[in-house]
Amino acid sequence: MIVLNGVTKKYGTKKVLDDVSFKVQGGEFVSLVGESGAGKTTLIHALIGATDVDKGEITVDDYEVSSLNRNKIQDYRRRVGIVFQDYKLLPKKTVFENVAFALEVAGYEKDFIKKRTVSVLKIAGLEDLRNNFPRQLSGGEQQKTAIARALVHAPELLFADEPTGNLDYESTDSLVRLFRKINQSGTTVILATHNRGVVDKLKKRVIKLESGKVISDKENSGYN
Ligand SMILES: Nc1ncnc2c1ncn2[C@@H]1O[C@H](COP(=O)(O)OP(=O)(O)O)[C@@H](O)[C@H]1O
Ligand SMILES: [Mg+2]
């Protein structure tokens, strides 16, 4: 479970997160919406321990994210999946290698790495593209590779910040289906986006930010 309690973050005198409080249960799918500058990215960064907050607490399962030291943050980050707008793939590695690499650096044995990588490539619908390099992929396929990589440690929680920001309509649609599938398999998904079409299609819980404040929090909702 994710619990935010009175989370406030300032840049200079400007509050970019202003007394943000909400809870997310395991298995939920939450879209975090709001216009550009509303504070979505700052909130995702706070949730993954990439930025300190000035006030309030963030707890994710057993982790008090808002007060973790550097070692514990690394440990926490390995337990969550994170996807960004830019795919951050390694250009000289294939799809398979990009995904497998995350397991190699964690020291798993070869057989396990192969099995696990094949399995997440299948989830992401990338089996046929496993030997392609990133430059041989569409934007949507690159983002799916990034998602497969984020899933490789079987996280209970997946954070995505504007994952469809660089994609056309069809790739976006296909990605939305993938996020839905990942959520249906039990993973909690927190999706920050300003894309109305995506949110309207999902019809899940929508938390809306405006000037750093939560202005609405609705189940089975569209963007508005
Ligand atoms: N490192 C920073 N220094 C100063 N202001 C920042 C910084 N990062 C973000 N901001 C400001 O915080 C506000 C929220 O930004 P952000 O969280 O990126 O919003 P969103 O992701 O919803 O577009 C914006 O006004 C932005 O200019
Ligand atoms: Mg943003």
Side-chain angles (χ1 to χ4, degrees):
M1 184 164 76
I2 301 173
V3 182
L4 290 96
N5 185 19
V7 173
T8 299
K9 165 88 183 171
K10 287 186 207 164
Y11 283 118
T13 55
K14 189 180 164 198
K15 284 183 182 170
V16 293
L17 295 176
D18 190 353
D19 197 19
V20 173
S21 301
F22 60 82
K23 290 182 186 171
V24 178
Q25 305 289 339
E28 279 197 76
F29 194 131
V30 179
S31 301
L32 205 56
V33 310
E35 299 308 313
S36 179
K40 305 178 296 294
T41 293
T42 307
L43 186 50
I44 293 283
H45 282 169
L47 281 163
I48 64 175
T51 191
D52 292 332
V53 300
D54 295 304
K55 241 164 68 182
E57 299 89 44
I58 300 174
T59 312
V60 178
D61 296 329
D62 296 333
Y63 293 88
E64 276 184 41
V65 178
S66 47
S67 60
L68 288 180
N69 66 33
R70 215 165 278 233
N71 284 341
K72 271 290 225 176
I73 285 280
Q74 291 305 330
D75 182 32
Y76 166 65
R77 292 250 187 91
R78 273 193 289 270
R79 283 159 194 263
V80 300
I82 307 172
V83 176
F84 298 103
Q85 178 169 350
D86 56 334
Y87 323 117
K88 300 190 197 302
L89 300 176
L90 299 166
K92 293 191 174 154
K93 288 188 186 291
T94 64
V95 166
F96 184 93
E97 290 163 349
N98 263 281
V99 175
F101 187 63
L103 291 170
E104 282 163 15
V105 296
Y108 288 95
E109 59 167 285
K110 236 173 144 186
D111 282 354
F112 174 82
I113 292 175
K114 189 161 178 204
K115 229 163 89 183
R116 182 72 198 149
T117 301
V118 167
S119 139
V120 292
L121 289 179
K122 203 174 226 174
I123 292 169
L126 294 169
E127 304 103 302
D128 295 344
L129 297 171
R130 54 180 279 172
N131 295 320
N132 283 41
F133 290 92
R135 67 183 148 74
Q136 300 170 317
L137 300 174
S138 72
E141 290 159 353
Q142 290 183 60
Q143 188 59 294
K144 283 181 179 175
T145 306
I147 293 170
R149 182 182 54 189
L151 293 178
V152 87
H153 289 292
E156 286 172 29
L157 187 52
L158 182 66
F159 293 106
D161 188 11
E162 303 283 3
T164 63
N166 292 333
L167 302 180
D168 61 21
Y169 181 82
E170 263 150 45
S171 304
T172 294
D173 217 35
S174 163
L175 221 64
V176 168
R177 283 197 299 274
L178 176 56
F179 279 116
R180 204 196 278 277
K181 181 161 105 180
I182 290 165
N183 175 246
Q184 277 164 355
S185 77
T187 308
T188 309
V189 178
I190 310 290
L191 168 68
T193 183
H194 69 274
N195 186 320
R196 280 171 188 273
V198 165
V199 177
D200 289 345
K201 202 163 295 158
L202 280 166
K203 280 277 177 204
K204 294 284 188 180
R205 180 176 171 193
V206 176
I207 297 177
K208 193 170 197 176
L209 288 176
E210 195 178 287
S211 307
K213 282 195 179 70
V214 173
I215 58 159
S216 67
D217 183 348
K218 295 181 199 155
E219 296 290 341
N220 308 317
S221 177
Y223 191 96
N224 284 308

